[in-house]
Amino acid sequence: MKVEVLASVMNASSLRETVQHMNLQSDAVIINQCDRLGQEEMQISQENGEARTIRFYSFQDRGIGRSRNEAILRAEGDICLFSDADIVYEDGYETAILA
């Protein structure tokens, strides 16, 4: 089973800073509501050597409903967690959810 965070953020300038701030340790789709269009992807390594994929999309559209719909369209997880930029995940959240 794959856990994936679906996050909506506003005007994020750095994918790395967003991932660090939220303490993301699973796969994730981040929808950035801003004044540009773009797409980035990064891999984060886990302590067990596995890699997780963070996909970051920037859109000019505004609204939580729109950004969540964009995230759902791009989701690949079996278990998806809706999130916002102010949520900070605890270490080991993916393992706890799967258990």
Side-chain angles (χ1 to χ4, degrees), residues 8 10 12 20-21 31 33 38 42 60 67 80 83-84:
S8 177
M10 291 285 296
Q20 289 173 343
H21 169 75
I31 304 298
Q33 299 175 62
M42 72 181 280
Q60 295 172 327
S67 65
C80 295
S83 184
D84 294 308

Side-chain angles (χ1 to χ4, degrees), residues 9-12 31-38 56-62:
V9 302
M10 291 285 296
N11 297 312
I31 304 298
N32 184 28
Q33 299 175 62
C34 59
D35 294 326
R36 58 182 161 65
L37 295 173
F56 187 79
Y57 300 90
S58 295
F59 292 103
Q60 295 172 327
D61 294 334
R62 300 289 193 272

